[in-house]
Amino acid sequence: VILSPLLLKFVYNPMTKRIKKLQENHREMVDFQIQQEIYFSVFNETAEPVLITNADRDIVAVNPAVVALTGYTEEELIGSKPNILSSGQHSADFYKSMWEDITNTGHWQGEIWNRKKGGELYAQHATISRIPRQYGDITNYVSVFHDITTKKQEENALHYKAHHDPLTGLPNRSVFEDRLEQVIANTRRNNVTS
């Protein structure tokens, strides 16, 4: 069968366009899959703990660094609220202020004390961000944090050394002067004289 050039052009051009479109779609799907694999690898391989919640603040994903730091298994954390890690060291006002910042600005950053599964307290520096959908609905919150317990312990040790005698462990002159100033200020406030 011999097809006329006009008939070939009529059949060939639309098929060629469809094939090119399918090839483009396939390339986009492969690119998307590669991008997803990169995101998955970053999430799982990063040294920083990453915790993700849904809009109701139920934990929906944690990376291995969260498991290593907290001592909880992924199964124990998924479906729980982040307060499973609460240390009891912060007031309700602290959390209210934190969530107001997240609501108003989209993120919060600061230091927070949490508790590991075994009961040990740890300090962390955290950034919590709101992740909106394309249409503005909130779908998730993500917290990226790192353990700063050692830093806090070192700060406390330096503070102690700066304010206590190394031989006796008693408060030193700077503590005495600070407390004397407090007593003098309190006395002046209360208008009490000796």
Side-chain angles (χ1 to χ4, degrees), residues 177-188:
E177 289 172 350
D178 180 57
R179 291 191 182 149
L180 180 61
E181 287 176 19
Q182 289 175 8
V183 169
I184 291 170
N186 190 32
T187 303
R188 285 185 181 143

Side-chain angles (χ1 to χ4, degrees), residues 62-121:
V62 294
N63 71 349
V66 172
V67 172
L69 175 63
T70 66
Y72 285 97
T73 65
E74 183 177 2
E75 292 77 19
E76 290 171 313
L77 291 168
I78 302 297
S80 299
K81 301 283 186 191
N83 66 3
I84 192 173
L85 303 172
S86 178
S87 66
Q89 301 290 309
H90 303 284
S91 68
D93 287 340
F94 172 86
Y95 291 106
K96 181 181 177 194
S97 174
M98 179 181 79
W99 282 105
E100 284 175 356
D101 283 354
I102 295 168
T103 301
N104 296 332
T105 67
H107 65 274
W108 175 86
Q109 187 173 19
E111 294 179 3
I112 190 167
W113 284 90
N114 276 333
R115 186 177 305 275
K116 297 179 181 185
K117 183 178 180 181
E120 179 186 352
L121 294 179

Side-chain angles (χ1 to χ4, degrees), residues 120-148:
E120 179 186 352
L121 294 179
Y122 67 97
Q124 68 182 44
H125 186 272
T127 300
I128 303 172
S129 300
R130 175 181 71 210
I131 309 298
R133 277 191 184 163
Q134 183 177 1
Y135 302 107
D137 296 341
I138 295 169
T139 57
N140 297 93
Y141 296 97
V142 62
S143 175
V144 179
F145 52 96
H146 59 276
D147 187 349
I148 58 169

Side-chain angles (χ1 to χ4, degrees), residues 28-69:
E28 288 175 8
M29 287 175 57
V30 168
D31 289 347
F32 179 76
Q33 185 177 4
I34 291 169
Q35 188 179 34
Q36 293 298 90
E37 289 173 7
I38 291 169
Y39 292 156
F40 183 77
S41 293
V42 168
F43 180 76
N44 281 312
E45 300 301 326
T46 188
E48 299 298 328
V50 179
L51 182 146
I52 301 172
T53 71
N54 61 19
D56 295 326
R57 301 182 195 158
D58 299 313
I59 298 171
V60 296
V62 294
N63 71 349
V66 172
V67 172
L69 175 63

